[in-house]
Amino acid sequence: FCPRDQGRLILYTGCRYGSPIEDYMGSRSEPALSSFVTHLARKFALQQFVETGTFMGNGSAWAAQVFPSVTTIEINDTFRQQAMQAHGHLKAINFLLGDSVGVLPGVVAALKGPAFFWLDAHAGGGHFAKEDYCPVLKELEIIAASPYPHFIFVDDARAFVAPPPPPFDVDKWPP
């Protein structure tokens, strides 16, 4: 899937829920993925990293080592506050609060060139949120409206290759 075929790269990452390496596979700090993202950032002189779904902020902290500017959007203020407490000393990171669908248009409009997007705001089934919420298709639409050819990684492939298993609400996820 590549919105309007404008040279955007979308890579799905992650593995099955319950896997012993679940936390390792989707992590930007995993060596192969870290190396690949760093290579893209350098090769294309990407200055901005945009993340939806901050959680504890570890992804943003990693990105601050690679990108001069990092913006992370979190819908849950408790997670955002914890991330700011842990990583607020990193001046490259801008911690935004809100639904990514509402906040992302302003972030995208402010970009002055291609950026790297890490989409991970989807949650549900008791994982990171009480109710299922999957804004990924709307996030992709927002990014696709930009005049720049961005790099887009969508985390958690396991949630998009088939209907999610219980306890997820299948009606709240893309078909």
Side-chain angles (χ1 to χ4, degrees):
F1 177 81
C2 192
R4 296 188 320 192
D5 194 29
Q6 294 181 1
R8 290 172 173 86
L9 169 66
I10 300 178
L11 175 71
Y12 292 91
T13 65
C15 60
R16 288 183 341 151
Y17 282 114
S19 165
I21 57 171
E22 177 179 331
D23 293 331
Y24 186 70
M25 287 300 293
S27 172
R28 279 141 284 215
S29 61
E30 187 276 323
L33 187 54
S34 174
S35 176
F36 183 58
V37 173
T38 300
H39 169 76
L40 292 174
R42 291 185 179 145
K43 179 172 179 143
F44 296 98
L46 301 175
Q47 300 298 302
Q48 179 77 33
F49 180 94
V50 179
E51 171 186 56
T52 63
T54 309
F55 189 46
M56 297 286 109
N58 295 332
S60 297
W62 172 86
Q65 298 173 46
V66 177
F67 297 85
S69 178
V70 175
T71 300
T72 184
I73 305 166
E74 176 56 54
I75 197 169
N76 180 317
D77 195 36
T78 300
F79 291 158
R80 180 177 155 271
Q81 291 294 331
Q82 290 172 341
M84 288 172 56
Q85 184 174 355
H87 306 293
H89 64 283
L90 298 171
K91 301 302 180 200
I93 305 174
N94 183 18
F95 297 90
L96 301 179
L97 176 63
D99 184 332
S100 61
V101 173
V103 177
L104 195 56
V107 172
V108 171
L111 294 172
K112 297 186 180 359
F116 190 100
F117 287 84
W118 188 280
L119 306 182
D120 195 13
H122 39 276
H127 302 278
F128 311 109
K130 292 179 183 177
E131 295 183 20
D132 286 39
Y133 182 62
C134 186
V136 72
L137 293 179
K138 290 179 183 177
E139 292 171 339
L140 289 169
E141 288 175 17
I142 293 164
I143 297 164
S146 170
Y148 303 111
H150 302 296
F151 289 88
I152 306 168
F153 279 31
V154 179
D155 204 349
D156 303 310
R158 61 193 174 271
F160 301 101
V161 296
F168 290 93
D169 181 351
V170 70
D171 294 329
K172 304 249 175 112
W173 292 80

